[in-house]
Amino acid sequence: MVALADAAGKPVPHRRRIMAGMRPTGKLHVGHLLGALRTFIALSEEGECFYEVADLHALTTKFDRGAEIAADVREMVLDWLAAGLDPQRCTIYLQSRIPEISELAIILSMLTPLSWLERVPTYKEQIEILGPHLATHGFLGYPVLQTVDIAIMRGERVPVGQDQLPHLELSREIIRRFNHFYGPVLVEPEPMLSQTPLVPGTDGRKMSKSYDNSILLAESEEETRAKVTTMFTDPAKIHKTDPGHPETCPVFFFQRAFNPSAADEIAQRCRTGRLGCVEDKADMARHLNAALAPLRERRAALAAQPRLVEEVLAEGTRRARTVAAQTLADVRAAMGM
Ligand code: SF4
């Protein structure tokens, strides 16, 4: 690697390249904010970050609704920007506009043993949940495309939750296999384990659009309040005077996240039967709305600029494509093709 120096010749520390992506599913929810999005924003202060809008990945489940994906991309990028991701501090790009990604995916798929893909735990699980129509070539090959996303940008570090570690390990295996045949061309990425909280949805299960239990970042205050009112709580607490268990209650999760200074007192009052769920929900909705208000205001202002998302993606994709083209040229040269 070439050592970097500033104008005075002093060495500049290498900012490690961080790669992460998100599949566009439209408007993001609070779980995305507390999980990936806050990590993306924090990392863009410390590394050279490449953030991919993974629209080809979206085709694994929406292969018959391509036009929906374009609308989903716009909504997701608006949420990224409104939450504080700054395109001047990181590269935000659209996966499908970089044809080098698709080419490298074909190359790496040739040397990835089928058995490696079939053993991915989520493969069978997801087909059981979402239906056999998903059993496509592309869905099985999803981990190869994910590997390419990282490898083509020469991602050195990848933020992952504990549950995604096996996927990253598979990517490392595929990259090692390529390097074994053709020399050390591709970078083996290291995981950056992030302590992503499991954000509960309104029904107490993990917040997810597929469970229809999400609170969207772009929702109105009224919509948020209405959703919080129906939120699952500790089933043992029927009356205000019943002792509750805040540690298992989704409402309390949000109190801790968005009203942390009062969390201990809320927990104490819940446990000792001095706080009722109706009152607590109203209080939590107030704090959640207050925390999201600046993001929602920014989002409305950004959405009023019809070409903004397109421009951000065009500039980021131009930068990312330069890196991708160089990686693919190195791969082709190493392979003698
Ligand atoms: S009082 Fe609050 S924390 Fe306790 S069970 Fe009800 S909603 Fe949950």
Side-chain angles (χ1 to χ4, degrees):
M1 178 143 328
V2 181
L4 298 173
D6 64 15
K10 278 205 204 131
V12 172
H14 169 60
R15 290 177 85 215
R16 298 191 81 186
R17 184 164 300 164
I18 295 166
M19 192 277 151
M22 205 185 273
R23 190 201 311 203
T25 53
K27 291 177 178 164
L28 299 183
H29 55 58
V30 181
H32 291 118
L33 177 70
L34 296 180
L37 206 39
R38 283 198 173 164
T39 305
F40 281 17
I41 294 163
L43 289 177
S44 59
E45 298 297 321
E46 68 175 68
E48 185 196 6
C49 294
F50 280 67
Y51 293 136
E52 178 185 84
V53 178
D55 59 340
L56 289 176
H57 284 286
L59 278 174
T60 51
T61 51
K62 286 195 176 175
F63 50 77
D64 52 348
R65 285 166 288 152
E68 265 181 41
I69 298 174
D72 288 347
V73 166
R74 176 177 154 76
E75 297 294 353
M76 186 177 87
V77 174
L78 278 173
D79 279 330
W80 281 14
L81 301 175
L85 210 56
D86 180 353
Q88 305 298 325
R89 305 192 71 85
C90 59
T91 300
I92 297 174
Y93 62 99
L94 190 59
Q95 184 187 32
S96 66
R97 298 269 173 85
I98 302 187
E100 288 81 1
I101 290 177
S102 300
E103 186 173 338
L104 188 56
I106 292 178
I107 293 172
L108 292 193
S109 72
M110 297 300 170
L111 53 86
T112 303
L114 199 53
S115 59
W116 289 11
L117 300 174
E118 285 168 338
R119 75 169 190 228
V120 172
T122 48
Y123 175 66
K124 283 195 179 123
E125 225 174 75
Q126 289 289 307
I127 285 179
E128 269 169 31
I129 296 171
L130 299 168
H133 66 288
L134 275 191
T136 59
H137 179 193
F139 193 60
L140 180 67
Y142 189 99
V144 177
L145 187 55
Q146 238 170 10
T147 303
V148 171
D149 293 335
I150 304 163
I152 204 150
M153 294 305 157
R154 300 195 190 275
E156 296 168 280
R157 310 187 80 193
V158 179
V160 284
Q162 188 75 36
D163 58 328
Q164 295 153 333
L165 269 179
H167 293 108
L168 187 65
E169 191 44 46
L170 176 54
S171 290
R172 286 161 55 88
E173 277 181 84
I174 295 171
I175 287 171
R176 276 200 296 272
R177 190 164 161 86
F178 179 90
N179 288 348
H180 167 76
F181 292 132
Y182 294 111
V185 178
L186 300 178
V187 176
E188 218 180 297
E190 290 165 27
M192 300 173 82
L193 210 52
S194 55
Q195 297 304 326
T196 311
L198 192 77
V199 179
T202 51
D203 60 0
R205 292 184 290 174
K206 181 185 172 189
M207 190 177 284
S208 160
K209 283 196 169 173
S210 43
Y211 294 149
D212 195 20
N213 65 0
S214 306
I215 296 174
L216 302 180
L217 300 176
E219 246 151 22
S220 70
E221 295 200 351
E222 194 39 60
E223 285 166 324
T224 303
R225 252 194 308 275
K227 284 190 176 175
V228 172
T229 304
T230 65
M231 206 160 181
F232 176 89
T233 61
D234 173 11
K237 193 170 171 75
I238 296 163
H239 304 107
K240 176 177 173 176
T241 48
D242 294 334
H245 304 84
E247 57 289 343
T248 60
C249 174
V251 177
F252 184 67
F253 175 93
F254 288 93
Q255 286 283 32
R256 229 179 6 207
F258 294 101
N259 185 16
S261 60
D264 286 348
E265 192 202 325
I266 290 165
Q268 183 67 6
R269 288 174 62 213
C270 168
R271 286 194 191 102
T272 53
R274 289 181 294 122
L275 178 64
C277 297
V278 174
E279 180 189 343
D280 193 24
K281 283 177 172 179
D283 183 53
M284 185 275 262
R286 236 186 342 267
H287 283 93
L288 179 57
N289 275 331
L292 294 179
L295 183 156
R296 288 170 170 166
E297 211 173 295
R298 268 197 305 274
R299 194 186 199 281
L302 295 168
Q305 303 173 50
R307 293 189 48 78
L308 178 79
V309 168
E310 217 176 287
E311 284 165 7
V312 166
L313 286 175
E315 173 54 21
T317 303
R318 189 190 59 73
R319 289 207 297 262
R321 194 167 179 197
T322 308
V323 177
Q326 185 57 59
T327 307
L328 188 64
D330 294 347
V331 163
R332 285 172 153 275
M335 296 176 79
M337 288 180 82

